[in-house]
Amino acid sequence: MPLNNEKPSSTSSAEDHGSDVESSSEVVSDLDCSRDSFNSDFSSKHCTPSSSPPKSLTLDEVMDSARDIFNLKISHEIVMNPSFHMDMSSRPQNRLFEVVRDNMHKAFWDMLKEELSDEPPKYQFAIKLLEEIREILLSFLNPGANRMRTQIMEVLDMDLIRQQADNNAVDIQGLASFIINTMGKLCAPVREEEIKKLRESTDNIVILLKEIFRVIDLMRVDHINFSIELIRPFLQKYSVEYEREKFQKILDKTPTALNHTTAWIQAAKEELSSATVPTDTNHGKTAVLSPFQLLNTAFLHILRWDYSKNPIPETLVTDETRLQEIQWQLNQCQAVNEVMLIVYNTVGEPIQGLASLSDRLKRMISVLLNGMHKPDFKFDESLEVISAQICCELNKSLTERNYPALTPEVQTMLTGQICSISQKDNPIRTLVEDRIQQYFSVLLSDSNPLAKLEQVPAGLTPIKAELGLIARKFISLVNYNRTIYGPFYAGIIKKLLFSNGPSEESLPRDRAQDSACQD
């Protein structure tokens, strides 16, 4: 109806996010292009993102950019998530929007009921509704369905219906029956039961029209999902070019669209520069940062990104949900590993080598830490519960194997050490965080990272399997992202590192890094 303009929301399960990342990342790499752009004058239109001087944007330009971003997100989701679909049951999260929309819908149907109840009936709102239904039905037709198109245009001839309304001769019930029969010819099999109910409806005409519009909305979603399935193979084949072109279009309209990305890479440069020492004391030269080292450091920052304080780089917006989930999973694994290290360092030999006990403790800790990323999660309280459960499990295991149970002093010490990992400067926590960063740094830098997923640093063995799965998702996302946005990163890094225009020979080349970026 005229007041129903909202788009259906996208839905997909959390487990599905990134489930097809690896297959998507197998798209032929375009990073040769980005590497060349480090040594070029940006003359290649295909490889080089363009930008314009800052300018004031009109409202129309802002809205166009918003639509481009929405389309980019949708296309990216179609490629990355094979379970992605549209679903009308997902309501917008904006409560004010919901209230306004629902009130407007109620007002429309109330006014329609009032008009049709008048003597003689009025048809202003009914005609608007019929006109929108006609346009929706026409949108379902294939290009060659000329016969049905003609039939719809003839029966729902709005000029004729207006003339009939002026003479109080509109057959609303007959028009509704035609619409229902047409819907039955166009609907997906899953909607046949809904169409049957419409045909058998004995409700008044206003309720019937309201139900017709509800089912048409469902059919619209079915039509969108069918189109998604048709376009998915094309997007998967040309996803890199398509997403890069869409982002370039956004950048053309909004020259500031890389500001957050630039700040993100700038922060990585500052971190690396502060850790870099002169390499040639005789000539006072400072080590030149590798572009790929710089970009890898920037991606490492994403694993620790504070989404509540810092906007994510624009080039990562389409994967923000996946990256957040990776971060949540990684933080939970990290906490599990910290607790396990404390337990085995404290109790020692009596529980070494017991795989079943280790697995049981790890599962229990993971369950009790589930949802630790949520704002209302009480980390300290959970650690206390974990400590008590661990002490019970350990005492049970020790006594079953004729070892003495843990003394009250040892239990108190164990509890204190476990609860202390909630403090950011805790040495065990710092150690595990550093080892995890080291692990991901090696993978990002390696030419064949998937072959080294199981080579975890010392101290991370308890979460080896989980860490490998998380790393596989992250590396695949990073490589796919670099393939798409490599030229944009090249432009930013060239300005940050080589603003003085170095000669081609002076630019660093890291062959291992080059190969890693192509995976």
Side-chain angles (χ1 to χ4, degrees):
M1 67 187 188
L3 300 176
N4 191 354
N5 294 323
E6 68 271 20
K7 294 183 176 65
S9 302
S10 64
T11 60
S12 56
S13 65
E15 292 80 11
D16 288 334
H17 283 305
S19 60
D20 200 41
V21 172
E22 289 176 56
S23 61
S24 299
S25 65
E26 292 172 1
V27 178
V28 178
S29 173
D30 267 349
L31 276 180
D32 288 333
C33 188
S34 66
R35 278 194 295 275
D36 291 343
S37 63
F38 282 126
N39 302 301
S40 72
D41 59 358
F42 290 86
S43 59
S44 170
K45 184 175 181 181
H46 174 69
C47 300
T48 306
S50 63
S51 59
S52 308
K55 65 174 183 177
S56 299
L57 298 177
T58 65
L59 178 60
D60 287 342
E61 288 174 323
V62 172
M63 295 302 294
D64 285 344
S65 294
R67 280 190 289 271
D68 290 335
I69 293 170
F70 176 79
N71 291 335
L72 178 60
K73 287 183 177 180
I74 292 296
S75 63
H76 185 78
E77 198 66 27
I78 291 171
V79 171
M80 302 298 276
N81 182 5
S83 299
F84 173 80
H85 65 284
M86 308 300 280
D87 191 346
M88 284 296 295
S89 63
S90 296
R91 302 294 294 271
Q93 297 300 310
N94 188 318
R95 178 60 183 163
L96 177 60
F97 175 83
E98 284 189 69
V99 172
V100 172
R101 183 197 59 190
D102 292 346
N103 285 335
M104 291 177 68
H105 287 187
K106 184 178 184 301
F108 177 88
W109 294 112
D110 287 346
M111 287 185 286
L112 177 63
K113 180 179 180 181
E114 184 178 337
E115 275 195 346
L116 294 180
S117 300
D118 284 350
E119 288 294 340
K122 297 183 179 68
Y123 297 98
Q124 179 183 353
F125 286 96
I127 290 174
K128 289 181 179 179
L129 183 63
L130 291 172
E131 191 169 15
E132 183 162 346
I133 289 175
R134 183 188 71 171
E135 295 308 311
I136 296 173
L137 292 177
L138 291 173
S139 72
F140 293 154
L141 299 180
N142 293 324
N146 296 326
R147 182 177 178 182
M148 184 171 288
R149 186 182 307 276
T150 300
Q151 188 178 22
I152 292 173
M153 294 296 291
E154 287 179 351
V155 176
L156 295 177
D157 183 335
M158 303 317 300
D159 291 334
L160 177 60
I161 292 174
R162 288 188 182 93
Q163 292 177 15
Q164 293 172 340
D166 292 339
N167 295 286
N168 193 24
V170 178
D171 182 8
I172 291 287
Q173 193 70 50
L175 293 174
S177 296
F178 169 77
I179 290 168
I180 293 170
N181 289 332
T182 305
M183 289 166 62
K185 297 174 184 177
L186 298 174
C187 72
V190 71
R191 303 300 173 199
E192 289 178 356
E193 188 62 32
E194 296 277 5
I195 300 297
K196 182 180 178 182
K197 290 179 181 178
L198 290 177
R199 288 194 175 109
E200 298 172 350
S201 175
T202 58
D203 294 323
N204 64 53
I205 189 62
V206 174
I207 295 178
L208 179 59
L209 289 173
K210 191 173 183 179
E211 283 300 294
I212 286 174
F213 209 89
R214 181 185 65 82
V215 177
I216 278 187
D217 263 352
L218 295 176
M219 290 175 59
R220 282 202 290 186
V221 174
D222 296 336
H223 186 70
I224 292 171
N225 286 332
F226 179 70
S227 300
I228 287 173
E229 292 306 311
L230 288 179
I231 200 174
R232 177 174 280 119
F234 173 83
L235 288 178
Q236 288 175 335
K237 185 175 181 179
Y238 300 104
S239 60
V240 171
E241 292 85 352
Y242 180 82
E243 292 191 39
R244 187 183 296 162
E245 180 183 339
K246 281 292 182 183
F247 191 81
Q248 180 62 64
K249 185 177 179 183
I250 294 169
L251 188 59
D252 290 341
K253 294 178 180 178
T254 314
T256 58
L258 281 172
N259 281 7
H260 298 317
T261 303
T262 302
W264 167 56
I265 297 176
Q266 175 67 36
K269 175 180 179 288
E270 292 172 358
E271 177 184 312
L272 288 173
S273 297
S274 64
T276 302
V277 295
T279 57
D280 189 340
T281 54
N282 293 328
H283 298 85
K285 294 181 180 178
T286 303
V288 180
L289 298 178
S290 160
F292 298 97
Q293 177 190 17
L294 178 54
L295 195 53
N296 287 345
T297 302
F299 277 112
L300 281 176
H301 286 182
I302 295 298
L303 293 173
R304 299 172 291 175
W305 198 261
D306 189 341
Y307 291 88
S308 64
K309 295 181 180 179
N310 302 313
I312 194 167
E314 297 89 348
T315 54
L316 296 173
V317 165
T318 52
D319 282 315
E320 182 172 2
T321 300
R322 293 179 183 83
L323 292 169
Q324 279 187 299
E325 289 174 353
I326 286 173
Q327 186 188 80
W328 296 340
Q329 293 168 5
L330 190 60
N331 289 342
Q332 183 173 341
C333 280
Q334 177 182 301
V336 169
N337 194 83
E338 291 160 5
V339 173
M340 295 290 285
L341 283 182
I342 291 171
V343 169
Y344 279 85
N345 287 339
T346 301
V347 180
E349 191 274 334
I351 59 171
Q352 295 291 340
L354 300 175
S356 59
L357 175 63
S358 176
D359 290 342
R360 192 159 65 250
L361 291 177
K362 190 167 72 171
R363 285 197 303 271
M364 180 194 71
I365 298 167
S366 296
V367 169
L368 293 174
L369 289 177
N370 192 37
M372 63 178 290
H373 62 278
K374 297 179 179 178
D376 59 347
F377 186 82
K378 296 178 173 56
F379 192 35
D380 291 327
E381 293 181 12
S382 297
L383 291 176
E384 291 180 5
V385 174
I386 288 170
S387 302
Q389 292 291 330
I390 285 176
C391 288
C392 290
E393 287 290 336
L394 291 177
N395 285 334
K396 178 182 177 182
S397 176
L398 290 171
T399 54
E400 285 176 351
R401 293 177 292 111
N402 299 320
Y403 280 94
L406 300 177
T407 65
E409 293 77 15
V410 172
Q411 293 187 48
T412 300
M413 180 178 66
L414 186 60
T415 299
Q417 290 184 3
I418 291 174
C419 291
S420 68
I421 67 170
S422 63
Q423 302 168 9
K424 291 187 177 181
D425 60 350
N426 177 272
I428 297 294
R429 177 171 175 170
T430 301
L431 173 67
V432 173
E433 288 177 352
D434 290 345
R435 295 283 169 84
I436 286 177
Q437 288 290 306
Q438 174 189 341
Y439 172 70
F440 278 92
S441 178
V442 169
L443 292 178
L444 286 171
S445 304
D446 198 87
S447 60
N448 187 17
L450 299 183
K452 295 190 176 181
L453 290 176
E454 296 188 359
Q455 298 179 17
V456 300
L460 300 183
T461 304
I463 57 170
K464 178 180 177 179
E466 293 80 4
L467 200 57
L469 291 174
I470 295 171
R472 182 182 291 271
K473 290 181 186 178
F474 183 68
I475 295 299
S476 296
L477 278 176
V478 167
N479 286 344
Y480 185 62
N481 180 273
R482 286 195 290 203
T483 303
I484 295 171
Y485 297 103
F488 299 94
Y489 296 143
I492 293 171
I493 293 174
K494 187 171 184 178
K495 289 179 181 178
L496 291 177
L497 295 184
F498 314 126
S499 56
N500 293 327
S503 63
E504 183 172 330
E505 292 74 16
S506 68
L507 296 177
R509 303 290 294 176
D510 188 332
R511 297 300 177 186
Q513 288 276 15
D514 289 358
S515 301
C517 291
Q518 291 182 348
D519 290 333

